Amino acid sequence: MLLFGRLADVAGWREKIIEAASLSALRTRLAEADAGLGEALSGPSVQVAVDKTLTRGDLPLTATSEVAFLPPMSGG
Amino acid sequence: MAVILQSEPFDPGQLLGSFCAGRRETGAVASFTGLARAEDGATMTLELEAYPGFTDAAIEDMAAAAAARFDLQDLLIVHRTGPIAPGEAIVFVATAASHRRAAFEACDHLMDWLKSRAPFWKKEHGPDGARWIEPTDRDRTDAGRWDEESKP
């Protein structure tokens, strides 16, 4: 999974391999490991992309799923 | 039509020359080059983060829609990523059309979208440290800077 923008600064990393069967399970695991990051990821302005497509709600994940958490985009 | 994200600096004059070359049915090419500002020393480096495969796909979708809407013959978008020093070009847009109005308007439209909606994350490194530029923060704490930046 990938973190962008300020989320990577909050976490102190940008990329990690994490085992989770669904998006909600992934969120739970991330929040358990780092409460600050969990809170940052749950903000209403943070979007989620699975395999480079924006998504909403929960979704099952596979071993090859790429999940990215995207804070508000600034434009170029 | 081409959309290029690159971390290396580019020469806008060279891009424009190549874009214009060999066109016999194009009456108008409009171009825009955006440069990184120093803002009186407040910004030492600008850092643009992209999500490869996501950012370029979003720009390509928007560029295809603009090409259809303005009946463009061709367009080129080159956008820097990574650290960018003041004075360096961040973005180059060129549009080719039969007539100038479409070329001008499409270029303007593309830049408005790129500046406000393109999926980049922007960090400013200044003398007091670094900060991420986000639309929500802009509204709350730094409306002035963003207003200034959004002027044509």
Side-chain angles (χ1 to χ4, degrees):
Chain A
M1 60 154 299
L2 304 166
L3 298 175
F4 287 89
R6 65 176 164 79
L7 295 175
D9 286 355
V10 170
W13 52 270
R14 312 193 147 263
E15 192 171 344
K16 227 175 211 184
I17 293 171
I18 296 173
E19 274 183 47
S22 67
L23 262 184
S24 58
L26 177 64
R27 285 181 181 278
T28 304
R29 293 202 59 169
L30 289 167
E32 279 168 5
D34 182 341
L37 177 61
E39 195 178 327
L41 295 181
S42 65
S45 60
V46 174
Q47 293 182 285
V48 183
V50 176
D51 294 327
K52 299 188 170 71
T53 302
L54 289 176
T55 182
R56 282 164 185 265
D58 200 9
L59 213 64
L61 300 174
T62 70
T64 57
S65 299
E66 180 180 281
V67 178
F69 288 90
L70 314 173
M73 297 153 188
S74 65
Chain B
M1 184 180 112
V3 172
I4 299 165
L5 300 183
Q6 63 176 55
S7 54
E8 303 78 28
F10 59 80
D11 176 350
Q14 203 171 43
L15 291 177
L16 182 58
S18 304
F19 187 78
C20 289
R23 295 189 182 280
R24 294 177 54 84
E25 298 300 331
T26 295
V29 169
S31 76
F32 176 87
T33 305
L35 306 177
R37 282 193 310 263
E39 306 205 39
D40 289 330
T43 304
M44 297 185 297
T45 308
L46 199 64
E47 195 179 333
L48 268 184
E49 190 179 5
Y51 180 6
F54 179 86
T55 302
D56 34 333
I59 297 174
E60 279 165 12
D61 285 352
M62 183 276 311
R69 175 174 170 178
F70 295 97
D71 200 16
L72 296 180
Q73 296 171 338
D74 196 8
L75 68 85
L76 171 64
I77 297 173
V78 180
H79 213 298
R80 285 282 298 279
T81 60
I84 301 160
E88 289 184 355
I90 302 175
V91 59
F92 175 85
V93 172
T95 53
S98 299
H99 300 286
R100 72 179 179 281
R101 186 58 50 205
F104 276 135
E105 287 181 354
C107 195
D108 196 15
H109 171 81
L110 287 166
M111 274 314 304
D112 279 348
W113 189 90
L114 285 167
K115 283 298 290 181
S116 61
R117 296 217 132 109
F120 289 103
W121 297 273
K122 188 189 289 183
K123 198 177 200 178
E124 268 184 8
H125 296 266
D128 302 323
R131 64 188 189 118
W132 290 99
I133 310 298
E134 292 186 357
T136 46
D137 287 345
R138 158 201 91 188
D139 292 338
R140 202 165 49 245
T141 65
D142 213 0
R145 200 202 78 87
W146 193 267
D147 289 347
E148 192 60 32
E149 194 169 84
S150 64
K151 281 179 191 168

